[in-house]
Amino acid sequence: MAGSVLDIPGNIDLEAKAAMLAQRRAVLLSVVGSTPASSDAVTSVLNDGFLVIIKAWLDDILNSVVGGVDLLLHLLDSVALLPVTKDMIAKSGAGKAITAIKSHSICKGTPNEGAIKERCAKVKEEWSASVRSRKQQKPVSLPPKLAATSTKRP
């Protein structure tokens, strides 16, 4: 998938490419946000660095590169219930970035300030609960990946 507007092929302007990329990200956020947190797929995506990608998307929104307030609100709603760990949050920098949104110009003094702050608080609350619950649980090891089987005859 395209990581930036420059990765999208075609002879269309950067604004159209940014809109296309925002739509793609919105779809992916919807899929992840609507998948049960207990799903192995969600765990796998998170373990593969999904929060690092979320942080990059958040940076794009705050720097007015891709998306705007609508994508920001959707992103915050979609990631709030993810079963994150303290390590995931720390390595990605997403927690600090979400906290900083409240003082950013996309939020401060705008008509959407209340909605943005509410969603930021929800993410913080839910992620804190996720971290606490994982501290109380014993670590669960994932089953080893199945070894590739040979199709050759013995």
Side-chain angles (χ1 to χ4, degrees):
M1 179 167 164
S4 77
V5 292
L6 300 176
D7 296 335
I8 298 176
N11 294 329
I12 55 176
D13 62 29
L14 290 179
E15 190 174 311
K17 288 181 179 187
M20 186 183 304
L21 191 53
Q23 290 172 347
R24 291 177 182 180
R25 289 177 179 182
V27 169
L28 289 172
L29 288 167
S30 292
V31 169
V32 171
S34 64
T35 304
S38 60
S39 167
D40 289 340
V42 171
T43 302
S44 178
V45 166
L46 285 168
N47 287 334
D48 287 343
F50 185 63
L51 285 188
V52 173
I53 294 167
I54 291 299
K55 167 69 168 68
W57 292 359
L58 183 55
D59 289 343
D60 283 349
I61 294 167
L62 298 179
N63 293 323
S64 301
V65 176
V66 175
V69 174
D70 54 344
L71 186 59
L72 173 63
L73 295 172
H74 183 55
L75 182 145
L76 293 171
D77 283 337
S78 299
V79 302
L81 298 177
L82 292 177
V84 297
T85 64
K86 184 176 182 178
D87 190 47
M88 289 174 191
I89 296 168
K91 284 183 179 178
S92 68
K96 288 182 180 180
I98 289 171
T99 300
I101 293 170
K102 293 181 270 185
S103 60
H104 192 276
S105 61
I106 200 168
C107 174
K108 197 169 186 174
T110 69
N112 297 302
E113 185 173 6
I116 293 170
K117 285 184 174 182
E118 177 184 310
R119 285 169 174 83
C120 288
K122 180 179 179 189
V123 171
K124 183 178 178 181
E125 178 184 322
E126 294 293 341
W127 283 9
S128 294
S130 176
V131 169
R132 278 192 307 276
S133 73
R134 283 172 182 42
K135 277 185 180 178
Q136 295 169 356
Q137 295 174 351
K138 291 183 180 179
V140 178
S141 59
L142 296 175
K145 292 185 178 183
L146 297 175
T149 55
S150 174
T151 56
K152 294 182 181 180
R153 293 182 182 168

